[in-house]
Amino acid sequence: SSGKAARSARTSLTLILESLVKMVAPVLSFTSEEIWGVYRTELKGRAKESVHLEDFPSIPDGFFAGVDAAAIEKKWDRLLASKEPVKKALESLRNKKIIGDGLEAKVTVGSSNAETVSFLKENLKNLPMLYIVSQVDIDSPGEIADPTLTEGEFTVKAVKADGAKCVRCWNWSAKVGADASHPELCDRCVEA
């Protein structure tokens, strides 16, 4: 796909690959040289003939221009703190053989801190990928009936996800089959 998200992902993966190959070259000399030989064709002349002639990676100038790294780190620390109780709730479902993997689950997360509930709602679109589940809802703990787990400020309810499994992305969605021309796909995969 040529959308902004796809281009961004390809750029990130290219930077990661290039840096990783350069960093492992002193230890895995032959393997890194083979990878570089394939990779050079993708760089269209920007790369030197051998990975061993390249400089070690550095952060490109302006890469973090206008970015508040401390704020991003704080945000992700908060998001990751909410992931731990979700992992424990999912493990409980796995032990009861209700789900096999996280993508079969739907979680509802609540916090005794109203500001945390608001923060999670602001970041709702990232939570399914972070928690590795198909569906996420955010609610106040008092509204979550029969919680699976309460830990610290978080209350989590984990259940089997709604809908059916998409054959392309393996996420569960109530919208699988909504498009008659692609009856086994969710709406996101139909769009892709």
Side-chain angles (χ1 to χ4, degrees):
S1 164
S2 60
K4 184 178 179 181
R7 287 192 319 272
S8 177
R10 283 193 300 270
T11 299
S12 296
L13 290 172
T14 299
L15 289 171
I16 291 167
L17 174 67
E18 184 176 348
S19 298
L20 187 60
V21 172
K22 289 177 182 180
M23 287 187 284
V24 300
V27 180
L28 300 171
S29 57
F30 293 107
T31 304
S32 60
E33 194 65 36
E34 286 181 37
I35 295 168
W36 196 254
V38 173
Y39 178 67
R40 269 187 49 220
T41 60
E42 298 297 319
L43 291 179
K44 299 174 179 66
R46 288 187 332 195
K48 294 180 181 169
E49 188 174 317
S50 170
V51 68
H52 301 291
L53 299 174
E54 294 283 348
D55 292 329
F56 259 47
S58 60
I59 298 172
D61 291 337
F63 196 76
F64 291 109
V67 174
D68 183 356
I72 292 171
E73 184 176 0
K74 182 179 176 185
K75 171 186 172 178
W76 281 97
D77 284 345
R78 290 183 74 189
L79 289 171
L80 290 172
S82 74
K83 183 178 180 176
E84 285 305 312
V86 170
K87 283 173 37 179
K88 290 178 182 177
L90 292 176
E91 192 60 36
S92 171
L93 287 189
R94 281 188 198 94
N95 291 339
K96 295 175 185 173
K97 308 283 188 216
I98 296 172
I99 63 168
D101 65 47
L103 290 177
E104 294 180 37
K106 172 183 178 178
V107 295
T108 303
V109 181
S111 172
S112 56
N113 181 338
E115 196 275 326
T116 300
V117 171
S118 176
F119 171 77
L120 291 173
K121 284 181 180 179
E122 290 170 16
N123 292 282
L124 183 60
K125 70 177 185 165
N126 294 321
L127 295 180
M129 285 186 286
L130 177 66
Y131 298 157
I132 313 173
V133 297
S134 289
Q135 300 153 6
V136 177
D137 288 328
I138 306 299
D139 215 336
S140 61
E143 301 297 319
I144 300 174
D146 302 321
T148 307
L149 173 81
T150 299
E151 181 176 286
E153 72 173 279
F154 296 102
T155 300
V156 180
K157 179 177 184 173
V159 296
K160 181 96 170 155
D162 300 329
K165 183 178 180 180
C166 174
V167 296
R168 181 176 178 264
C169 68
W170 294 11
N171 279 299
W172 287 65
S173 172
K175 296 181 180 179
V176 169
D179 186 318
S181 60
H182 301 286
E184 296 179 326
L185 300 180
C186 66
D187 56 336
R188 196 180 89 200
C189 290
V190 167
E191 184 179 326

